[in-house]
Amino acid sequence: MRFLWRQGTTREHAASRVLLDDPLPNDLPLVNSCHRCNSGFSRDEEYLACPIDCVICGSADPEDVRRPKVRAALLHSPALAARIATCRSEDAAGTPIWNPEDERVRNVIIKLARGHVAHQYSEAQLDDPSSVMVVPLMLMTETQRKAFETLSVSSLYPEIGSRAFVNLYVVGGDVCSTEPTWTVLQEARYRYAVAQPEQPLVRIVLSEYVAAEVAW
């Protein structure tokens, strides 16, 4: 399913509210979206939020879950709680292993990335991405983590009027682009970065546990 930003009939938060704690940030980005497509992602968004917190606390039991939104979702839907519980197994040493449903996770990550690109550059990115990566931060090597956290600088200027253009600054009469930085929507819960407007690349960190990258 594609998210039809240009045919927007409603407004969508980027990031999804279920991935954030209440109270929500006052400056939470909004982008145009198709109401039908937006609604179609709701269950997958809820699904993504739940395993992350279950993995962090080590249990799919709602009573053990820390985040109120996730606890409420699991209590409201025993079927969802049971489905997430099936993601957990153990290796020969008894170490817990979690394997969430990759396709559902991927769908939400791509949707989030499209929202951030639309917000940053005022232009929809509807093509299929060339690559999608989702991995726990703790599984990255030191070199991989450094590369992920470091953002490259583009030599191209963004479209006039876009949020990226507004972020330009003037030094000595010359316009210079600021170095891309991470935007923290909510401390320890959600941060993202958008770089390379000629070939959009979005990086997202959820709950300081899941690292994601979507490139076009």
Side-chain angles (χ1 to χ4, degrees), residues 33-46:
S33 69
C34 162
H35 179 73
R36 180 176 60 84
C37 296
N38 185 16
S39 300
F41 278 96
S42 296
R43 289 189 177 182
D44 283 351
E45 289 168 336
E46 183 178 67

Side-chain angles (χ1 to χ4, degrees), residues 10-21:
T10 186
R11 300 278 278 171
E12 161 68 358
H13 289 96
S16 309
R17 289 176 293 178
V18 71
L19 299 175
L20 302 169
D21 293 331

Side-chain angles (χ1 to χ4, degrees), residues 54 59-67 70-75 81:
C54 289
S59 171
D61 186 337
E63 298 303 322
D64 296 329
V65 171
R66 301 170 187 171
R67 289 192 63 215
V70 173
R71 186 186 306 117
L74 296 176
L75 287 172

Side-chain angles (χ1 to χ4, degrees), residues 115-174:
H116 293 315
V117 170
H119 181 256
Q120 185 79 356
Y121 296 115
S122 302
E123 184 175 350
Q125 182 56 255
L126 301 181
D127 294 336
D128 292 332
S130 58
S131 66
V132 180
M133 177 199 75
V134 184
V135 63
L137 279 171
M138 62 185 297
L139 295 185
M140 286 183 170
T141 65
E142 184 177 348
T143 300
Q144 290 171 334
R145 178 67 181 268
K146 183 177 180 180
F148 179 80
E149 297 284 358
T150 303
L151 306 172
S152 60
V153 179
S154 172
S155 60
L156 300 183
Y157 291 143
E159 179 182 350
I160 293 176
S162 68
R163 178 166 296 271
F165 183 85
V166 173
N167 289 337
L168 296 178
Y169 65 94
V170 178
V171 177
D174 295 326

Side-chain angles (χ1 to χ4, degrees), residues 173-209:
D174 295 326
V175 178
C176 305
S177 61
T178 58
E179 183 176 347
T181 59
W182 287 89
T183 297
V184 180
L185 288 184
Q186 199 166 65
E187 193 70 35
R189 188 62 63 209
Y190 194 108
R191 60 187 171 100
Y192 72 95
V194 185
Q196 302 178 5
E198 65 274 24
Q199 293 180 312
L201 180 145
V202 180
R203 289 176 181 160
I204 301 169
V205 177
L206 305 174
S207 296
E208 290 302 318
Y209 181 79

